[in-house]
Amino acid sequence: MLNAIVCEIRERKNYLAGHKIETLYFGGGTPSVCSPQQMQLMIDVVKEVYGSLDFSEITMEANPEDLIEKYLEELSGTDVNRLSIGIQSFNDRHLKFFNRRHDSGTAYNSVINAKKYGFDNINIDLIYGVPGMSLSEWEQTLDKFIKLDVPHLSAYHLGIEDKTILGKRRQKGLLHPVAEEESMSQYALLEKVASASDYEHYEISNFAKTGMRAVHNSNYWKGLPYIGIGPSAHSFNGVDERRWNISSNNIYLREIKSGNYFEIEKLSDNDRYNEFILTSLRTSDGVDLELLLKKFGKEKYDAFIKIYKKLTLQGLVNEKSGKLYVPSENFLLSNHIISEFFIV
């Protein structure tokens, strides 16, 4: 697989022609199964192909159980400068529910050890909206997060997809999603605890200390171009083309040299508009009204303003300094709010 990824990096060197590569993100799977030496090899190939020598951020997703001291010691000698650790919970019962291999002690110690080996730019993933999770249990998990004093938190409401194990359990009546009131209470506690510890709620699911927003993800929400390498990876040329690689590892490995390992979608003007609205309103920065007019013209701008005025009267959106945004207290309603602006 490593050889195939290196092959794709080289083959696609012109995809982002004219754009400087500023960030790298190793994720969408379990990159920590790679050795630190393999991680550095991929970074070096990117540097060679794109002529990039100074990345503002190189993030690696990792499972807590993989971050043993020997691995962290070796990883500290690479160019990786940010870790995103998939902890999910500091409650052992909830971790068993998620079918995770680590326990709460391993999760906590993975962060302590990462800091020990010089990784200060750390994100932790947590999940709320878990069936059977009490508000006090969620508070205990958040308290442990605060004690670890890391600069970034990604907190997601549990989603139950039909084809997953949880989805099948729900179909059999063995699992029931949490009530909306419970979700709202857990979300409100999340906001309260994060705010009290000076975390900025800058995107629906993301919180950061001052100056510590995720650069890579923020560039995505700004609609900047990006390139994804490997099975299932997505790319965007920054204009009108979205591309994604096939998900099957075997087919990807077989077809990487033939070039038959991806699909392409051309975006219409309405697609581009809807995506601009979606990614902008996910963040606390919101939609830049001047940029909206410049990119999409007066007709779409006027349609946007009409919906904006209606939602303002309902207390769902605010405007400040020429930017329309969803207040953080309404982030749980964001799917409904954002869809109101879409052009079908």
Side-chain angles (χ1 to χ4, degrees), residues 234-250:
H234 284 61
S235 304
F236 175 53
N237 69 356
V239 184
D240 61 354
E241 180 186 288
R242 189 166 304 288
R243 166 175 165 167
W244 61 95
N245 291 349
I246 56 178
S247 58
S248 167
N249 286 354
N250 289 335

Side-chain angles (χ1 to χ4, degrees), residues 302-312 337 340-341:
D302 289 343
F304 179 91
I305 293 298
K306 182 179 179 180
I307 301 299
Y308 148 62
K309 289 180 178 178
K310 182 185 78 170
L311 296 182
T312 299
I337 295 170
E340 288 286 305
F341 290 101

Side-chain angles (χ1 to χ4, degrees), residues 104-228:
S104 58
T106 301
Y108 198 87
N109 288 333
S110 70
V111 180
I112 297 296
N113 288 332
K115 287 186 168 187
K116 176 180 176 182
Y117 288 96
F119 292 99
D120 296 320
N121 194 354
I122 297 173
N123 170 67
I124 285 177
D125 284 351
L126 296 177
I127 295 178
Y128 63 101
V130 181
M133 182 174 76
S134 68
L135 194 61
S136 62
E137 286 175 327
W138 177 228
E139 185 172 22
Q140 289 165 13
T141 281
L142 290 174
D143 285 346
K144 287 190 176 181
F145 160 73
I146 296 300
K147 288 177 182 176
L148 285 169
D149 190 30
V150 296
H152 199 279
L153 167 67
S154 294
Y156 305 98
H157 191 284
L158 178 67
I160 302 176
E161 304 296 333
D162 288 341
K163 295 183 179 181
T164 63
I165 294 176
L166 294 181
K168 292 175 181 177
R169 289 178 61 190
R170 180 180 61 182
Q171 291 167 8
K172 294 177 181 179
L174 301 175
L175 176 66
H176 301 282
V178 300
E180 184 177 343
E181 303 79 44
E182 290 182 77
S183 293
M184 295 294 287
S185 296
Q186 291 171 14
Y187 176 79
L189 180 61
L190 169 64
E191 281 242 295
K192 178 183 176 182
V193 170
S195 176
S197 297
D198 298 322
Y199 286 89
E200 173 197 14
H201 194 177
Y202 73 100
E203 193 270 345
I204 290 175
S205 303
N206 288 277
F207 303 76
K209 293 284 192 178
T210 301
M212 299 303 292
R213 292 185 179 191
V215 178
H216 185 89
N217 292 350
S218 294
N219 286 342
Y220 165 78
W221 297 318
K222 291 174 183 176
L224 298 180
Y226 56 89
I227 183 170

Side-chain angles (χ1 to χ4, degrees), residues 19-22 43 46-55:
H19 295 280
K20 180 183 177 182
I21 305 294
E22 297 180 350
I43 295 169
V46 173
K47 287 181 175 181
E48 172 200 333
V49 171
Y50 291 97
S52 300
L53 300 176
D54 185 22
F55 299 99

Side-chain angles (χ1 to χ4, degrees), residues 1-68:
M1 180 61 75
L2 181 61
N3 289 336
I5 287 173
V6 169
C7 178
E8 186 183 356
I9 293 172
R10 296 187 187 282
E11 186 264 326
R12 300 185 64 192
K13 68 177 183 178
N14 294 321
Y15 187 81
L16 296 180
H19 295 280
K20 180 183 177 182
I21 305 294
E22 297 180 350
T23 63
L24 295 180
Y25 193 101
F26 294 93
T30 314
S32 52
V33 299
C34 294
S35 70
Q37 293 76 21
Q38 290 172 324
M39 295 295 297
Q40 187 60 46
L41 170 63
M42 288 184 280
I43 295 169
D44 288 341
V45 171
V46 173
K47 287 181 175 181
E48 172 200 333
V49 171
Y50 291 97
S52 300
L53 300 176
D54 185 22
F55 299 99
S56 61
E57 187 181 271
I58 301 179
T59 301
M60 186 186 82
E61 290 185 357
N63 288 329
E65 64 270 22
D66 294 330
L67 297 181
I68 60 175

Side-chain angles (χ1 to χ4, degrees), residues 94-107:
H94 302 150
L95 289 171
K96 288 182 180 179
F97 173 81
F98 298 138
N99 200 30
R100 297 308 300 263
R101 289 188 292 135
H102 65 272
D103 59 20
S104 58
T106 301

Side-chain angles (χ1 to χ4, degrees), residues 72-91:
L72 285 164
E73 182 180 14
E74 293 181 2
L75 191 66
S76 68
T78 72
D79 290 339
V80 172
N81 57 20
R82 184 174 184 268
L83 293 177
S84 182
I85 307 176
I87 286 174
Q88 318 306 355
S89 176
F90 291 108
N91 181 293

